[in-house]
Amino acid sequence: MMSPFIRHVAIRNYKSIAACRLNLGPLTFLVGPNGAGKSNFLDALRFVADALRSSLDHALRDRGTIKEVRRRSGGHPNHFALRFGFELPNGQTGHYAFRVGAKPAGAYEVQDEECFIHALDALGPSHYFRVQSGKLVESSVTPMPAVIADRLYLVSASGIPEFRPVYDALSSIEVYNLNPREIAAMQRPDPGDLLRRDGSNAASVLHQLSPNVREAIRDNLSRIVPGIADAEAKTLGSQETIEFRQIVRGQPHPWRFLAGAMSDGTLRAFGILLAVFQAASSRAGNNPPLLIGLEEPEVALHPAAAGVLLSALREGARHCQIIVTSHSPDLLDNPDIPIDSLLAVENHEGLTCIGPIDEASKQMLRDHLFTPGELLRQRQLSPDREALEDISDERQLKLFNIVGR
């Protein structure tokens, strides 16, 4: 598997998440019941990409207002904050963090924002900037663009070559909630660099993939949906769609069906494989995804396909970091799933608790007494309480620490 792009995540007051500090691997499973808050964690990752690709205002409005994003509680927190520890494809490491605070009448401001990129070697320079309350307080590069209080400064700093790789990497993050109807519909052609969240440009993305990646998608799809022989992009006039080839009993050659004639389960499986393998193509765009999130990819799939799906996720994680939310024991019924790839999610009185699984469960997995799926069936996958207690306030989360470097 590839080295993970996002190595560490810290979140404060984002939706139902009061605080979390997590290590992420190439393939990570967020496991817990419906309503626990798994999707809120993935949405925090998507939030930074949305805010960079469009604007902070758009990212907030797409989720309602800042009141809907910052956590609600009796203490009335007036801000939310995110921090990402990263490793770029060139091997450089660093972190990016920001805090957004609420103002009267639904307004907001970026209270703190910082980016730090470590030098590749002892002789090379490190690069950084720090913004506080609308002012650039320190930077390794001069001159730097002006600060706009209601914008993330990394957008402006992306015009500086030193910070562009961080912007490109974070803005490529995508979290998929694939819609079979969008995949089935006729689609307008586009560059196909990144599969959209709902799959509405699936034909363009498939068309851009290299032959070996299309073959990997076909092979996995035929194992998940027996009878499917192939899938390829097809142009009809000014629009595109997917054409599937399906083996029909008694017929010498596979029959051809457009996406609109296929079942939701088939289209969803195809969309998941397309999302997972898109970064593996040598024809991928200039900004291929370094991290994708998949919300419950096992939904609408037969339990017998869970093993094939897990294999596809592992193969895809060789090219792109993958984070999966799941409450499916079938997907986790494999003794070879690394213990460190499991994060347990629970909800206590409206608060989402996310952390590595408790030590008792880890020991049972180490001793091969159960698979993760079997522990999930027995409701024995819970966050480690000691790890949760270690992040009770923002100083312990270490969201901002550029000073002193």
Side-chain angles (χ1 to χ4, degrees), residues 75-362:
H76 301 293
N78 64 356
H79 71 274
F80 67 93
L82 307 174
R83 177 188 171 104
F84 305 91
F86 57 76
E87 180 177 348
L88 298 173
N90 67 358
Q92 285 184 292
T93 61
H95 71 267
Y96 174 66
F98 61 88
R99 179 194 292 115
V100 178
K103 299 175 70 175
Y108 57 89
E109 67 175 350
V110 181
Q111 297 174 335
D112 291 275
E113 183 180 0
E114 68 178 37
C115 180
F116 187 85
I117 309 169
H118 294 280
L120 276 172
D121 55 62
L123 299 178
S126 297
H127 294 291
Y128 56 87
F129 67 75
R130 176 76 187 270
V131 173
Q132 289 182 309
S133 301
K135 295 182 179 180
L136 181 66
V137 296
E138 58 178 329
S139 171
S140 63
V141 179
T142 56
M144 289 287 281
V147 177
I148 303 175
D150 61 349
R151 301 286 192 275
L152 291 181
Y153 189 65
L154 184 57
V155 177
S156 300
S158 67
I160 308 297
E162 289 81 358
F163 299 108
R164 182 71 190 199
V166 179
Y167 171 86
D168 286 342
L170 289 171
S171 63
S172 74
I173 293 173
E174 189 54 271
V175 175
Y176 288 101
N177 191 353
L178 296 159
N179 185 340
R181 290 186 179 181
E182 293 294 337
I183 299 175
M186 298 297 295
Q187 303 171 358
R188 294 182 180 275
D190 75 6
D193 292 344
L194 180 66
L195 182 66
R196 293 178 192 153
R197 185 173 188 240
D198 58 3
S200 58
N201 66 337
S204 292
V205 174
L206 181 64
H207 179 72
Q208 296 295 326
L209 297 181
S210 57
N212 61 313
V213 175
R214 289 201 296 269
E215 182 178 358
I217 292 174
R218 180 198 65 198
D219 290 346
N220 281 279
L221 184 62
S222 66
R223 294 165 61 200
I224 293 174
V225 186
I228 296 294
D230 202 357
E232 61 182 21
K234 187 175 183 64
T235 301
L236 296 175
S238 62
Q239 296 184 306
E240 295 179 331
T241 188
I242 309 294
E243 183 179 78
F244 293 87
R245 298 179 185 178
Q246 186 166 8
I247 297 172
V248 178
R249 179 180 297 180
Q251 301 300 317
H253 303 289
W255 284 13
R256 299 170 183 260
F257 297 92
L258 297 183
M262 305 303 291
S263 69
D264 284 0
T266 297
L267 295 176
R268 183 172 172 80
F270 169 76
I272 290 168
L273 295 172
L274 193 59
V276 166
F277 287 105
Q278 61 181 323
S281 179
S282 60
R283 297 181 184 176
N286 294 327
N287 193 21
L290 298 181
L291 183 152
I292 66 168
L294 294 171
E295 297 195 48
E296 300 182 354
E298 72 279 359
V299 170
L301 299 184
H302 192 278
V308 179
L309 176 59
L310 178 59
S311 176
L313 292 173
R314 285 174 158 174
E315 187 176 350
R318 294 168 53 196
H319 308 280
C320 174
Q321 186 177 14
I322 300 175
I323 303 176
V324 177
T325 68
S326 179
H327 62 273
S328 168
D330 296 313
L331 182 61
L332 302 175
D333 258 341
N334 189 308
D336 296 327
I337 293 177
I339 296 173
D340 291 341
S341 70
L342 299 170
L343 294 175
V345 187
E346 291 183 345
N347 190 291
H348 295 285
E349 298 180 346
L351 292 181
T352 294
C353 301
I354 311 176
I357 60 177
D358 60 66
E359 190 57 38
S361 298
K362 286 183 178 179

